Amino acid sequence: MNSVPESSAAAGSGRTTPAAPTPVPPLPAVGASVPESVRTSLQILRSLESGPRGLVEAHAEERLARFGENVLPAWRPVPWPRRFVRSLRDPFTSVLLCLGLVSAVVSAWGTACVILALVAVSCLLRSTEEHRADRSTAALRELVATTATVVRRTSADALPREREIPVADLVPGDVIRLGPGDLVPADVQVLRASGLTVHQSALTGESAPVAKHPLDAPDPAIAGAGPFAQPQLCFQGSSVTSGSGTAVITATGGATRFAAAYDGRARQRGASAFDRSVQGISWTLIRFMLLTPPLVLMANAALRGRGLETLPFAVAVAVGLTPEMLPVIVTTALARGAARLARTSGVIVKRLPALHDLGAVDVLCLDKTGTLTEDRPVVETAVDGSDLPDPGVLRWAALSALWTLHLAELPAPDALDEAVLDAAEAELLEASTYEGVTALPFDPVRRVATAVLRRPGRLGVHTLVTKGAVEAVLERCALDGDERERLLALAARKAESGLRLLAVARADRPARHGAYSPADERGLTFVGLVALRDVPAPSAADALDVLARRGVTVKVLTGDHPGTAARACEDLGLRTDAAGGFGDVVTVELVDTLSDAELARVADRATVFARCTPEHKARIVSALRAAGHTTGFLGDGVNDLPALHAADVGICPRNAVDVAREAADVVLAEKDLTAIDRAVLAGRHSSGNIATYLRITLSSNLGNVIAMLTAGLMLPFLPMLPAQVLVQNLCFDAAQLAFAFDRPGASALRRPAVLCSRDFLRFITGFGLLNAAADLATFGVLALALHSAAGTDGEAAFHAGWFTENLLTQALVMVLLRTGRSAAERRAGGPLRVVAAGLAVVGVLLPLTPLGPLLGISALPPLYYLLLGSVLSLYAVGLTAARRRYEQRH
């Protein structure tokens, strides 16, 4: 135990002696969580105007007012009105709003009211669902530790007392206690330590715990090392693995390195897959919509001599081309998927478009530890110096771990020692007669631990058993140069195969009563090597296989050793090529030599990237996106923040660090690939429904617009009155809402759901022309039927006939153009079939009701229905043939 004297304390007393005030350096400025030069424990306490006995309560309150609470800078809640207005930034919603305002200007009040109502409903749904997700995410903040053990005094001459206070009340200069399992609540410098090791994986990505100890004298060897390599510093976001310690807080709140990794620039995100796809489709439609009204006006003026009286009709044609339900369908489909995920799997989708991005993901990047492997190693084998199995090696390693744990008063073994003790349970029972004398615990300078034992039947002899890093143990063994090099080569081969190694050595010494020291760890006899491997997560292999079948390629971005990462992937059968071989492991040394274009090609082929820093992870993810992939990234630490923002969709488990949860788009109930698969399926489900809606609606709308423009130039009257267009659109809109509740076919879930504007344009053009041909054939049927029926109002009958035909063809298209479905699925019931039947009934019966004359439509002769049935039958045959051809090509 190392103690640090307080400069104002009288030696041997617990009271301070009055002293003249001396100049004291000011407290570190905000942001100075790591001093420019390495300071000893005494220097850091002086600079913070503190001491081992902690701060006085009054001084702590002053500092709390000066520095603020020890909380991370968080997003301020977005007011609901602002969230509602922000929903209008969607380009298509903005265009709909403009069309509604134009309709109001030309006195098409019905059309204006319908469009503006749809815009309001869409914005309301989106803002409400995002508000719900924000509330769920805010609730997850309660999962982190909220108190810490601090040493404070009520007055300058009072005795120090330990007590629990809220983490938010900690200030620079506070002295805190750390124990196993504690989260480090701020940036600190260690003052005293006993076997203290911490997990820094949330900050660095390294899965192995790091030993920490105080710095009582300047050490030039670590002056140039990075902050995470300095043994006296611990940072907020890390956690205590084993041991105990006392530390002084050097930075809190926004001044910590934890908070610095989450500054405003890191939160900036580029356009996601959903943004790119929907905007591509939207702008294609916007061009059509902006071009249509002028063409209608000019054509009617040139051929029919009509003026601005056709403006409402021109606006109605533009609205007819518009899938005005798109914002409502998209929001409803995604909101339903997000709600279902939260209800059934505990998955929170914070940003609704992220659910579509999940469905479109074709590359998933993740870390190894805790996802592909459990966060604990197991013993693979124990071998002697000739690489032959030797159970004695494991027994000696276990004895060293056991007695070091007991005699050094460590609260719990580290992960490697725990694995050794588990594997050697039987050997320890046989060696129960061994008695521990003393122990020298592990520290990062020696990199070994030693237990001194008294063996049965060996009076007057103590046995030293040393284990630790291979190089450190071999340095302490009595070996010649060639033998040491041979053993180092043996260890290197095993490490390259993905194994972690502990070297074991021992020596007999004459028993003595004096204390043992590291100087006694010399002239040891090498015993052997204990090889450990990571344990694959139970569900990882099956989940990887399922993701592969769904067209999702997994990339492993880890801070671990290349051999360790490759071995874990090999154990799980993570393959990268058709021949079944394992992809090369790419190290960051190679990544640093590649341009962005070269990295994109390498990242497309490779499966494992080892020794990755946060910047490397973000660059690899960005390279994959630049190559045209839709990427997801699963991470849970501060070191993952750049990659979470670089990906199309950032994913984290709910036990991730606070800032990672805030940065992620999707929060999982647990860090499990199976949960990601369920989320991917939900995303494809919602995206499949959106894609089906777009294909069917846009192709039908395009066909109607072509027919409407043709009829407008051929007929001496408008082919459809604005009121009729409005009622028809209302019927379409009500029916199309069923797309958000449809069940997509199994084939739609087998591959990433990508909304490609070019593919949609080809689809809607082909099927739109087919729909226009059916409309034009209906014109011929109307001409024949009306010519045969005497005394019929030709204009009202034409409007009625086309009104009926439009609704019937729309119902037919809704049933027959659900691509990617088997015949059995198409025959099965569902919301679309019910709604399509209702739409057909409205189309046939509305002209016969009293509403018909109010809309300017009249009853039709029976011959029309007979001829229309023939046209629709031919149209159904053509649709079925075209759909099959499309499915074969895609």
Side-chain angles (χ1 to χ4, degrees), residues 269 271-273 276 351 357 625 629-632 646-650 665:
R269 181 192 296 273
S272 67
R276 296 192 300 270
R351 184 177 59 88
D357 295 340
R625 288 187 69 186
H629 294 287
T630 302
T631 60
D648 286 289
V649 54
D665 301 305

Side-chain angles (χ1 to χ4, degrees), residues 445-448 466 468-477 488 503 521-522 524:
V445 177
R446 293 164 43 243
R447 296 191 298 159
V448 297
T466 300
V470 175
E471 297 86 350
V473 171
L474 292 179
E475 287 175 1
R476 291 162 169 78
C477 291
L488 286 173
E521 298 170 335
R522 292 289 183 269
L524 306 178

